[in-house]
């Protein structure tokens, strides 16, 4: 069935370090892919998305490229800030056309000054 | 404009009691979704509505769970005879249409069953 697997955390980085959070998916088709972020004490927010192969989603310095050949959607940021500390969720639209999102387990990022 | 709102924000209930969780979607959003976030299960999809209709209820964890939506707006998730394993954060989201537009999430209702 459709699923999303992302790297386990927590990930601890120093400010200005490079960030990669790996995400791979399994699906019967070519689903839209998403990264959501949950800041401490806040709700889930869409960070970026890509709807087809080779699309690059970007927002707030974060990027992710939809790679059909490796079924991946890794999240990257060149220089993290303390304010980026949050839980990051990779997600896909399942192939059922219900609009339901299938989420990975979440990766906690802690950025230290 | 206003985002998705949920009430109550926190609910503590005794095992065996019934609870109702409310979601107010963004005005004009025809699609509405319920998810559950728990430590052991992560984020799991429960049910979606297109208008007032919920075509697929297979994501609900048991027959103690039910949901309805009225007037194409407010939705209520009801859990009967609550169990400790129902303790979780229940999230509601809405989007302009099914599969169209971003899903905007509410702040969630934290349910604790004692």
């Amino acid at each position: 069935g459709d699923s999303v697997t992302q790297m386990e955390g927590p990930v601890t980085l120093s400010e200005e370090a490079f960030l990669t959070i790996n995400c791979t998916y399994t699906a019967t088709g070519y689903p839209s892919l998403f990264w959501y972020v949950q800041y401490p004490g806040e709700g889930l927010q869409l960070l970026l998305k890509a709807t087809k192969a080779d699309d690059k989603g970007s927002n707030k310095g974060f990027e992710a490229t939809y790679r059909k050949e490796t079924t991946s959607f890794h999240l990257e940021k060149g220089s993290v800030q303390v304010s980026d500390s949050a839980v990051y969720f990779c997600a896909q639209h399942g192939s059922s056309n219900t609009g339901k999102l299938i989420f990975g387990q979440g990766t906690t990022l802690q950025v230290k000054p | 404009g206003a985002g998705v709102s949920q009430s109550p924000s926190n609910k503590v209930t005794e095992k065996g009691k019934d609870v109702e969780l409310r979601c107010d979607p963004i005005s004009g959003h025809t699609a509405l979704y319920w998810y559950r976030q728990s430590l052991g299960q992560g984020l799991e999809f429960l049910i979606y509505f297109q208008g007032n209709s919920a075509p697929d209820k297979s994501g609900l964890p048991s027959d103690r769970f039910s949901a309805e939506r009225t007037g194409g707006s407010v939705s209520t998730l009801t859990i009967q005879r609550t169990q400790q394993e129902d303790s979780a954060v229940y999230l509601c989201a809405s989007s302009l249409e099914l599969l169209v537009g971003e899903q905007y999430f509410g702040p969630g209702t934290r349910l604790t069953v004692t």
Side-chain angles (χ1 to χ4, degrees), chain A residues 1-4 25-34 66 91-103, chain B residues 45 48 56 98-99:
Chain A
D2 300 335
S3 66
V4 174
Y25 67 91
T26 60
T28 53
Y30 301 105
S32 294
L33 301 173
F34 308 84
Y66 192 141
Q92 64 156 305
H93 264 157
S95 55
S96 61
N97 288 327
T98 62
K100 90 178 196 182
L101 290 169
I102 299 169
F103 288 90
Chain B
F45 171 81
Y48 78 97
D56 182 2
L98 200 63
L99 291 170

Coordinates of all heavy atoms in Angstrom, one line a residue, chain A residues 1-4 25-34 66 91-103, chain B residues 45 48 56 98-99:
Chain A
G1 N 0.8 -1.2 0.0 CA 0.0 0.0 0.0 C 0.8 1.2 0.0 O 2.1 1.2 0.1
D2 N 0.2 2.4 -0.1 CA 0.9 3.7 -0.1 C 1.5 3.9 1.3 O 0.9 3.7 2.3 CB -0.1 4.8 -0.5 CG -0.7 4.6 -1.8 OD1 -0.1 4.0 -2.7 OD2 -1.8 5.1 -2.0
S3 N 2.7 4.5 1.3 CA 3.4 4.8 2.5 C 4.4 5.8 2.3 O 4.8 6.2 1.2 CB 4.0 3.5 3.1 OG 5.1 3.1 2.3
V4 N 4.9 6.4 3.5 CA 5.9 7.4 3.5 C 6.9 7.0 4.6 O 6.5 6.7 5.7 CB 5.4 8.8 3.7 CG1 6.5 9.8 3.9 CG2 4.5 9.2 2.6
Y25 N 8.9 7.3 -0.6 CA 7.5 7.0 -0.6 C 7.3 5.7 -1.5 O 8.1 5.4 -2.3 CB 6.7 8.1 -1.1 CG 6.9 8.4 -2.6 CD1 6.1 7.8 -3.6 CD2 7.9 9.3 -3.0 CE1 6.3 8.1 -4.9 CE2 8.1 9.6 -4.3 CZ 7.3 8.9 -5.3 OH 7.6 9.2 -6.6
T26 N 6.2 5.0 -1.2 CA 5.7 4.0 -2.1 C 4.3 4.4 -2.5 O 3.5 4.8 -1.6 CB 5.7 2.6 -1.4 OG1 4.9 2.7 -0.3 CG2 7.1 2.2 -1.0
A27 N 4.0 4.2 -3.8 CA 2.7 4.6 -4.3 C 2.5 3.8 -5.6 O 3.4 3.5 -6.3 CB 2.6 6.1 -4.5
T28 N 1.2 3.6 -5.9 CA 0.9 3.0 -7.2 C 1.0 3.9 -8.4 O 1.1 3.5 -9.5 CB -0.5 2.3 -7.1 OG1 -1.4 3.3 -6.7 CG2 -0.5 1.2 -6.1
G29 N 0.8 5.2 -8.1 CA 0.9 6.2 -9.2 C 2.0 7.2 -8.9 O 3.0 6.9 -8.4
Y30 N 1.6 8.5 -9.2 CA 2.6 9.6 -9.0 C 1.9 10.6 -8.2 O 1.3 11.6 -8.7 CB 3.0 10.1 -10.3 CG 3.7 9.1 -11.2 CD1 3.1 8.5 -12.3 CD2 5.0 8.6 -10.8 CE1 3.7 7.5 -13.0 CE2 5.6 7.6 -11.6 CZ 5.0 7.1 -12.7 OH 5.6 6.1 -13.4
P31 N 1.9 10.4 -6.9 CA 1.1 11.3 -6.0 C 1.8 12.7 -5.8 O 3.0 12.8 -6.0 CB 1.2 10.6 -4.6 CG 2.5 9.8 -4.7 CD 2.7 9.4 -6.1
S32 N 1.0 13.7 -5.4 CA 1.6 14.9 -5.0 C 2.3 14.7 -3.6 O 1.9 13.8 -2.8 CB 0.5 16.0 -4.8 OG -0.1 16.3 -6.0
L33 N 3.4 15.4 -3.4 CA 4.2 15.2 -2.2 C 4.3 16.5 -1.5 O 4.3 17.6 -2.1 CB 5.6 14.7 -2.6 CG 5.7 13.4 -3.4 CD1 7.1 13.1 -3.9 CD2 5.2 12.3 -2.6
F34 N 4.4 16.4 -0.2 CA 4.4 17.6 0.7 C 5.4 17.4 1.9 O 5.7 16.3 2.3 CB 3.0 17.7 1.4 CG 1.9 17.7 0.4 CD1 1.3 16.5 0.0 CD2 1.3 18.8 -0.1 CE1 0.3 16.4 -0.9 CE2 0.2 18.8 -1.0 CZ -0.3 17.6 -1.4
Y66 N 11.1 16.4 -6.3 CA 10.3 15.2 -6.5 C 11.1 14.3 -7.5 O 11.3 14.6 -8.6 CB 9.0 15.6 -7.2 CG 7.9 14.5 -7.3 CD1 6.6 14.9 -7.1 CD2 8.2 13.2 -7.6 CE1 5.6 14.0 -7.2 CE2 7.2 12.3 -7.7 CZ 5.9 12.7 -7.5 OH 4.8 11.7 -7.7
A91 N 4.8 13.9 3.5 CA 3.5 13.3 3.2 C 3.2 13.2 1.8 O 3.8 13.9 0.9 CB 2.4 14.2 3.9
Q92 N 2.3 12.3 1.4 CA 1.8 12.2 0.0 C 0.3 12.1 0.0 O -0.3 11.7 1.0 CB 2.4 10.9 -0.6 CG 1.9 9.6 0.0 CD 2.0 8.4 -0.9 OE1 1.5 8.4 -2.0 NE2 2.7 7.4 -0.5
H93 N -0.3 12.5 -1.1 CA -1.7 12.2 -1.4 C -1.7 10.7 -1.7 O -1.1 10.3 -2.7 CB -2.2 13.0 -2.6 CG -2.9 14.2 -2.1 ND1 -3.0 15.3 -3.0 CD2 -3.5 14.6 -1.0 CE1 -3.7 16.3 -2.4 NE2 -3.9 15.9 -1.1
G94 N -2.5 9.9 -1.0 CA -2.6 8.5 -1.4 C -3.2 8.4 -2.8 O -3.8 9.3 -3.3
S95 N -3.2 7.2 -3.3 CA -3.7 6.9 -4.7 C -5.2 6.7 -4.7 O -5.7 6.4 -5.8 CB -3.0 5.7 -5.3 OG -3.1 4.6 -4.4
S96 N -5.8 6.9 -3.6 CA -7.3 6.6 -3.6 C -8.1 7.8 -4.1 O -9.3 7.7 -4.1 CB -7.7 6.2 -2.2 OG -7.4 7.3 -1.3
N97 N -7.5 8.9 -4.4 CA -8.3 10.1 -4.8 C -9.3 10.6 -3.8 O -10.3 11.1 -4.1 CB -9.0 9.8 -6.2 CG -8.1 9.8 -7.3 OD1 -7.1 10.5 -7.3 ND2 -8.4 8.9 -8.3
T98 N -8.9 10.3 -2.5 CA -9.8 10.8 -1.5 C -9.3 12.1 -0.9 O -9.9 12.8 -0.1 CB -9.9 9.8 -0.3 OG1 -8.6 9.7 0.3 CG2 -10.4 8.5 -0.7
G99 N -8.1 12.5 -1.3 CA -7.5 13.7 -0.7 C -6.8 13.4 0.6 O -6.1 14.3 1.1
K100 N -6.8 12.2 1.1 CA -6.2 11.9 2.3 C -4.7 12.0 2.2 O -4.1 11.6 1.2 CB -6.6 10.6 2.9 CG -5.8 9.4 2.5 CD -6.3 8.1 3.1 CE -5.3 7.0 3.1 NZ -5.8 5.8 3.7
L101 N -4.1 12.6 3.2 CA -2.7 12.6 3.3 C -2.1 11.5 4.1 O -2.6 11.1 5.2 CB -2.2 14.0 4.0 CG -2.5 15.2 3.2 CD1 -2.2 16.5 4.0 CD2 -1.6 15.3 1.9
I102 N -1.1 10.9 3.6 CA -0.4 9.8 4.3 C 1.0 10.4 4.7 O 1.8 10.8 3.9 CB -0.1 8.6 3.3 CG1 -1.5 8.0 2.9 CG2 0.7 7.5 4.1 CD1 -1.3 7.0 1.8
F103 N 1.2 10.4 6.0 CA 2.3 11.0 6.6 C 3.4 10.0 7.0 O 3.2 8.9 7.4 CB 1.9 11.8 7.9 CG 1.1 13.0 7.7 CD1 -0.3 13.0 7.6 CD2 1.7 14.3 7.5 CE1 -1.0 14.1 7.4 CE2 1.0 15.4 7.3 CZ -0.4 15.3 7.2
Chain B
F45 N -4.9 9.1 9.1 CA -6.1 9.6 8.5 C -7.3 8.9 9.1 O -7.3 7.7 9.2 CB -6.0 9.5 7.0 CG -7.3 9.8 6.3 CD1 -7.6 11.1 6.0 CD2 -8.1 8.8 5.8 CE1 -8.8 11.4 5.3 CE2 -9.3 9.1 5.1 CZ -9.6 10.4 4.9
Y48 N -12.9 11.6 5.6 CA -13.0 12.9 4.9 C -14.5 13.1 4.5 O -15.2 12.2 4.4 CB -12.1 12.9 3.7 CG -12.6 12.2 2.5 CD1 -13.3 12.8 1.5 CD2 -12.4 10.8 2.3 CE1 -13.8 12.2 0.3 CE2 -12.9 10.1 1.2 CZ -13.6 10.8 0.2 OH -14.0 10.1 -0.9
D56 N -16.3 7.3 2.5 CA -15.4 6.2 3.0 C -15.1 6.3 4.5 O -14.4 7.2 4.9 CB -14.1 6.2 2.2 CG -13.2 5.0 2.6 OD1 -13.6 4.2 3.4 OD2 -12.1 4.9 2.0
L98 N -11.9 18.8 -2.7 CA -11.2 17.5 -2.6 C -10.0 17.5 -3.6 O -10.3 17.8 -4.8 CB -12.1 16.4 -2.9 CG -11.7 15.0 -2.3 CD1 -11.6 15.0 -0.8 CD2 -12.7 13.9 -2.8
L99 N -8.8 17.3 -3.2 CA -7.6 17.2 -4.0 C -7.3 18.5 -4.7 O -6.4 18.6 -5.5 CB -7.8 16.2 -5.1 CG -7.8 14.7 -4.6 CD1 -8.2 13.8 -5.8 CD2 -6.5 14.3 -4.1

